[in-house]
Amino acid sequence: MTDYSFFALKLFAALGCGLIAGVLFAFSVFVMRALARLQPAQGIAAMQSINITAISPLFMTVLFGTAAACLFLAISSLSKLPQPVAIYLFLGSLLYLLGTIVVTIAFNIPLNDALAKVEPNSPEGASLWASYLTTWTNWNHLRTISAIMAAALLTVALVDRSVKLLILASFALLFRR
């Protein structure tokens, strides 16, 4: 793989993590809160619609394309692990894969599947909705933090040593005041 191709893959992964982090952040900060303010039947129906709409080619490409890029970066960084850039690539990729993708598959999707099976106006639906809001959102917070941290680590891996030193010096000056 050429340096240009490898840079492009790192950039794609960093941007993908950032984009997914933004979507997840929106759910953690205001979407789930807005849905919680609705009557249970309305909230359930809205979330069921969101879950169906989310399965779109563009969103799935960003979500899982980023995962594929992170998997490649994690594997390729293993042979270079003593190098700081490789550590950033490995940890950033691992955070996205485990904290975002695995959590999504292991926790959020099963919760979504359970919600898809209930009738919004039923007592079972209302009961499920009460626990769904808290549980789904807590797992989403973890996905959000993981994707943000992954984006940050992968972004650090993009810049060369002199830029990193300049960034660190800038932050040191900002926080010294």
Side-chain angles (χ1 to χ4, degrees):
M1 178 173 264
T2 67
D3 285 344
Y4 176 77
S5 298
F6 194 62
F7 177 84
L9 186 65
K10 291 189 293 185
L11 180 60
F12 173 80
L15 291 173
C17 288
L19 186 57
I20 295 301
V23 170
L24 299 175
F25 179 80
F27 273 85
S28 281
V29 172
F30 59 85
V31 172
M32 296 309 288
R33 287 182 184 175
L35 294 176
R37 294 178 67 181
L38 299 174
Q39 292 298 316
Q42 294 172 316
I44 292 168
M47 192 64 181
Q48 287 172 334
S49 181
I50 289 169
N51 289 336
I52 291 167
T53 307
I55 304 171
S56 69
L58 185 55
F59 183 70
M60 291 296 121
T61 298
V62 175
L63 181 69
F64 292 111
T66 300
C70 286
L71 182 60
F72 182 84
L73 291 172
I75 292 168
S76 67
S77 67
L78 286 173
S79 64
K80 304 168 190 159
L81 264 183
Q83 300 172 10
V85 169
I87 293 168
Y88 293 126
L89 288 174
F90 183 74
L91 292 177
S93 296
L94 203 61
L95 267 170
Y96 184 78
L97 291 168
L98 296 177
T100 304
I101 298 300
V102 170
V103 168
T104 297
I105 292 168
F107 300 103
N108 293 88
I109 290 175
L111 289 167
N112 291 343
D113 290 344
L115 190 68
K117 294 175 185 171
V118 299
E119 175 60 41
N121 290 312
S122 69
E124 297 80 21
S127 175
L128 177 64
W129 183 241
S131 65
Y132 177 93
L133 281 168
T134 302
T135 306
W136 191 96
T137 304
N138 286 338
W139 286 114
N140 193 67
H141 293 334
L142 178 61
R143 297 189 303 170
T144 303
I145 292 166
S146 297
I148 291 169
M149 291 174 59
L153 289 167
L154 292 171
T155 300
V156 169
L158 283 170
V159 296
D160 67 17
R161 188 171 190 270
S162 59
V163 174
K164 287 177 194 165
L165 291 175
L166 181 62
I167 292 168
L168 289 173
S170 299
F171 275 112
L173 287 173
L174 283 173
F175 291 110
R176 219 171 64 182
R177 293 181 184 186

